[in-house]
Amino acid sequence: MSVSNLFRTAAALPDAWSSRSLAEVGTATVKVLRMNQLPLAEEAHRTPEVLLVLDGTLELTVDDVEVTVGPGEMYGVPAGARHAVRPGSHGTLVIVEVPEE
């Protein structure tokens, strides 16, 4: 595996909220993306995921509870939890997830 600059990788993505897979660790995939202030619809997954904010802020609603994740912070979304991105989320986000089959 080579060194990846996460900020450059996120900045080079064609669209906000489109992610790029960087690596696989066991069955988990590590992805990076750029947030752009716009909300994302609610979703839920059968597997947990970890959301790590490198810079900026991630505004979430998780099972009807508002959560703010700041720079250098991470949040673990439990399997089955309903979660949505609220308006105002911006910056660079790393997601570690186990793809659903």
Side-chain angles (χ1 to χ4, degrees):
M1 183 184 302
S2 61
V3 174
S4 297
N5 183 303
L6 302 179
F7 297 109
R8 268 190 253 142
T9 301
L13 291 169
D15 299 305
W17 299 111
S18 67
S19 63
R20 176 164 179 218
S21 293
L22 301 172
E24 291 184 4
V25 180
T27 59
T29 301
V30 179
K31 303 188 304 187
V32 66
L33 59 84
R34 184 178 72 253
M35 302 178 281
N36 72 343
Q37 304 278 349
L38 297 177
L40 289 181
E42 183 177 87
E43 61 184 6
H45 310 285
R46 292 188 314 225
T47 58
E49 65 182 353
V50 171
L51 307 173
L52 170 63
V53 175
L54 297 180
D55 68 329
T57 304
L58 174 61
E59 300 288 348
L60 293 172
T61 301
V62 181
D63 287 336
D64 299 321
V65 176
E66 292 188 357
V67 177
T68 299
V69 188
E73 296 180 331
M74 70 177 210
Y75 183 80
V77 180
R82 297 178 342 271
H83 57 287
V85 176
R86 295 193 321 269
S89 298
H90 65 282
T92 309
L93 179 65
V94 171
I95 300 174
V96 180
E97 65 182 5
V98 176
E100 296 184 50
E101 295 179 3

